[in-house]
Amino acid sequence: MGSLVEERSVTGWAARDASGILSPYVYSLRKTGPEDVSIKVLYCGICHTDLHQARNDLGMSNYPMVPGHEIVGEVVEVGSEVTKFRVGETVGVGLLVGSCRACRPCKSDIEQYCKKKIWSFNDVYTDGKPTQGGFASHMVVDQKFVARIPDGLAPEQAAPLLCAGVTVYSPLKHFGLNKPGLRGGILGLGGVGHIGVKIAKAMGHHVTVISSSEKKREEALEHLKADDYLVSSDAAKMQSAADTLDYILDTVPAHHPLEPYLSLLTVDGKLVMMGVINSPLQFFTSMIGLGRKMITGSFIGSMEEIQEVLEFCEKKGVSSTVEVVKMEYVNRAMERLEKNDVRYRFVLDVAGSNLTG
């Protein structure tokens, strides 16, 4: 156990307004409480959610804001009542750092559906201070919302699993789609989609990548080892694939029609929506009624599932495809992310960066 020092100053990179431009920002962290874990941030993934929040795309942003919710770090101090972690361990923190602990979701260990959940950044903690994320040198987090990184996972590889990885793992597990032999579709081949292909393949599924163009065919089949590739505008191929998929993980974070993909599902097939979309989607009810198909959603995953997906990926040898960059490159990385110009996830080398600019 460390010394439980008082509040300390840390440096992160923060957005000050809806331009989303990040620059060094000094702020204070609370002292390490009895159930807190103090973490030196090593790596942090960059997700579309970081981009949306930094630029106030959802209309809920508060500034200054330090983004980052795919955080891997080293424990440097633990509170007096911490039992799960010790100094020197490598740990991870995802999108949540708190919840009410009393509602039905919390008592069912699906705290991601708690209506009083506390986001790891752009939120207010129980002490009244704003939460700040992993684009920073250190964090202090309640032990409940910290996961252990298995020894066999490189820290920069583990970072995307804390959001993108668990986002695809959670619905596969919850809907009973984690058994071998299923036929699945991955719609959209970005940060979430690419890890979806890898996890589904590791579960023993026949995986089809569905995309709007031929651009990623070779990448999907040769690098990610998908079994098939469908271009959604190819009517003949889409027709030949009708009624063949048990599920589709829809990772596209933009408005798009649903009918072409619903037609690919077999009876009792499930279309799982994952992208954050600001405009209503529509479909004909006959598209689901005539096949007892389901359109559903899923949101990240529980702390239990985060630990599970980390251990699953270690056991199965699943790795993320990442581009590691320094913090001084973060604004360029955000611009490239907006254009989907990354294969497939940026990860910030926070500990190896000069955070003062």
Side-chain angles (χ1 to χ4, degrees):
M1 186 175 70
S3 60
L4 301 184
V5 297
E6 298 299 315
E7 288 189 359
R8 82 299 304 264
S9 292
V10 300
T11 300
W13 278 51
R16 266 67 171 199
D17 53 44
S19 71
I21 296 173
L22 304 173
S23 58
Y25 170 60
V26 177
Y27 58 100
S28 63
L29 286 182
R30 70 178 185 272
K31 71 176 183 179
T32 308
E35 294 203 26
D36 283 337
V37 177
S38 180
I39 300 165
K40 175 186 177 183
V41 179
L42 301 176
Y43 294 93
C44 187
I46 304 178
C47 174
H48 268 98
T49 299
D50 300 314
L51 183 66
H52 290 318
Q53 293 284 18
R55 296 185 179 180
N56 198 28
D57 290 342
L58 305 179
M60 303 181 297
S61 297
N62 299 291
Y63 303 101
M65 176 201 304
V66 178
H69 61 275
E70 296 180 340
I71 304 143
V72 175
E74 177 187 348
V75 177
V76 294
E77 183 180 44
V78 295
S80 58
E81 296 177 21
V82 170
T83 57
K84 294 172 61 179
F85 305 100
R86 64 179 187 275
V87 171
E89 285 189 306
T90 304
V91 297
V93 178
L95 193 52
L96 303 183
V97 293
S99 66
C100 78
R101 313 287 182 98
C103 66
R104 180 181 173 187
C106 284
K107 289 183 176 180
S108 302
D109 293 324
I110 49 171
E111 58 283 335
Q112 72 270 32
Y113 298 111
C114 172
K115 292 190 176 179
K116 295 182 180 179
K117 56 184 169 286
I118 302 173
W119 309 105
S120 51
F121 71 96
N122 194 38
D123 206 346
V124 178
Y125 200 64
T126 53
D127 60 5
K129 288 190 174 183
T131 59
Q132 304 289 9
F135 293 9
S137 61
H138 291 79
M139 293 184 75
V140 175
V141 183
D142 186 297
Q143 67 171 339
K144 176 176 173 54
F145 295 90
V146 180
R148 178 172 288 101
I149 304 298
D151 293 339
L153 280 181
E156 68 274 16
Q157 288 287 329
L161 300 177
L162 297 161
C163 176
V166 75
T167 294
V168 297
Y169 179 88
S170 180
L172 291 175
K173 176 190 176 184
H174 175 74
F175 292 113
L177 301 169
N178 56 348
K179 55 191 177 185
L182 297 180
R183 299 178 66 89
I186 305 295
L187 178 56
L189 199 57
V192 176
H194 102 278
I195 200 66
V197 173
K198 292 187 175 190
I199 288 175
K201 286 293 294 180
M203 289 179 174
H205 297 179
H206 181 284
V207 178
T208 298
V209 170
I210 311 163
S211 188
S212 59
S213 74
E214 291 279 358
K215 186 171 64 174
K216 295 184 177 179
R217 177 182 292 274
E218 182 178 352
E219 179 74 10
L221 299 177
E222 299 300 323
H223 177 70
L224 299 177
K225 306 301 181 184
D227 300 286
D228 206 348
Y229 188 90
L230 272 178
V231 178
S232 55
S233 59
D234 188 333
K237 291 289 179 63
M238 290 287 284
Q239 176 61 36
S240 67
D243 303 314
T244 63
L245 300 181
D246 297 299
Y247 68 86
I248 296 173
L249 302 183
D250 184 343
T251 73
V252 177
H255 190 276
H256 57 284
L258 298 183
E259 284 89 349
Y261 312 111
L262 289 169
S263 68
L264 299 176
L265 295 173
T266 188
V267 173
D268 290 328
K270 298 172 179 63
L271 176 65
V272 185
M273 306 297 297
M274 296 177 175
V276 177
I277 303 169
N278 280 347
S279 54
L281 301 178
Q282 61 186 39
F283 59 92
F284 296 108
T285 55
S286 59
M287 295 291 295
I288 57 175
L290 294 176
R292 202 164 62 187
K293 302 172 185 181
M294 177 189 296
I295 299 174
T296 187
S298 183
F299 177 64
I300 52 172
S302 65
M303 290 308 302
E304 179 181 336
E305 289 168 334
I306 288 176
Q307 194 64 59
E308 284 180 16
V309 74
L310 290 167
E311 293 170 3
F312 175 85
C313 289
E314 179 197 36
K315 179 181 178 181
K316 297 290 188 178
V318 175
S319 61
S320 311
T321 302
V322 301
E323 183 176 335
V324 180
V325 298
K326 303 291 187 183
M327 186 67 78
E328 51 266 33
Y329 190 78
V330 67
N331 287 306
R332 177 68 180 128
M334 292 284 232
E335 291 173 2
R336 286 179 55 194
L337 177 61
E338 185 179 30
K339 300 173 183 175
N340 293 316
D341 178 25
V342 56
R343 229 177 126 260
Y344 277 96
R345 201 65 151 189
F346 283 115
V347 175
L348 291 168
D349 177 5
V350 178
S353 300
N354 175 13
L355 297 185
T356 60

